[in-house]
Amino acid sequence: MKQIIFAGIVWALAAVGAAAHSKTEQTTPASGATVEAVEVIELRFDDPMRVTAISLSGPEGEVAIERETDLDPVTQFRALPSVDLPTGAYTVDWRGLSSDGHPMRGTFGFVVAH
Ligand SMILES: [Cu+2]
């Protein structure tokens, strides 16, 4: 009987481990892309992600962005740059909580060329 309970616990732990955390599938702008303008910054996830923090930095430092998505877990997160982005290289950094409860973070870059 003890063995059966033990096997059940091992199986339950394995099942938790198998439920992989959400991953970024794609972004807008695409990672590494060169774009003329940025109307929206978008992160798409394979499973809902609660994005807790996001920042955009460029050639002149941090650029203010406005979240369009609140703190609910989503598969599509959107934020809007507060200004027209000048030419240069930009990096987006984000942190979030995966649907399996794991803290996640990611980064990607793109170039704006007018
Ligand atoms: Cu995970």
Side-chain angles (χ1 to χ4, degrees):
M1 187 60 184
K2 265 186 186 161
Q3 271 177 329
I4 291 171
I5 292 170
F6 179 70
I9 291 170
V10 169
W11 183 85
L13 290 176
V16 168
H21 37 241
S22 336
K23 293 188 297 288
T24 321
E25 297 245 282
Q26 294 204 314
T27 63
T28 303
S31 177
T34 297
V35 296
E36 287 189 10
V38 177
E39 273 155 31
V40 65
I41 292 167
E42 198 172 87
L43 307 170
R44 291 185 288 286
F45 302 100
D46 62 345
D47 255 335
M49 181 81 72
R50 186 190 306 274
V51 176
T52 54
I54 183 164
S55 68
L56 172 66
S57 54
E60 280 148 42
E62 190 152 340
V63 181
I65 54 176
E66 194 175 318
R67 294 174 70 116
E68 200 175 86
T69 308
D70 61 16
L71 283 166
D72 288 334
V74 292
T75 54
Q76 186 171 324
F77 173 92
R78 288 166 62 93
L80 311 172
S82 56
V83 293
D84 257 353
L85 300 182
T87 295
Y90 291 83
T91 305
V92 175
D93 287 294
W94 62 268
R95 290 168 189 249
L97 269 182
S98 172
S99 54
D100 67 0
H102 290 160
M104 304 288 290
R105 63 191 305 174
T107 185
F108 69 96
F110 57 87
V111 171
V112 174
H114 292 296

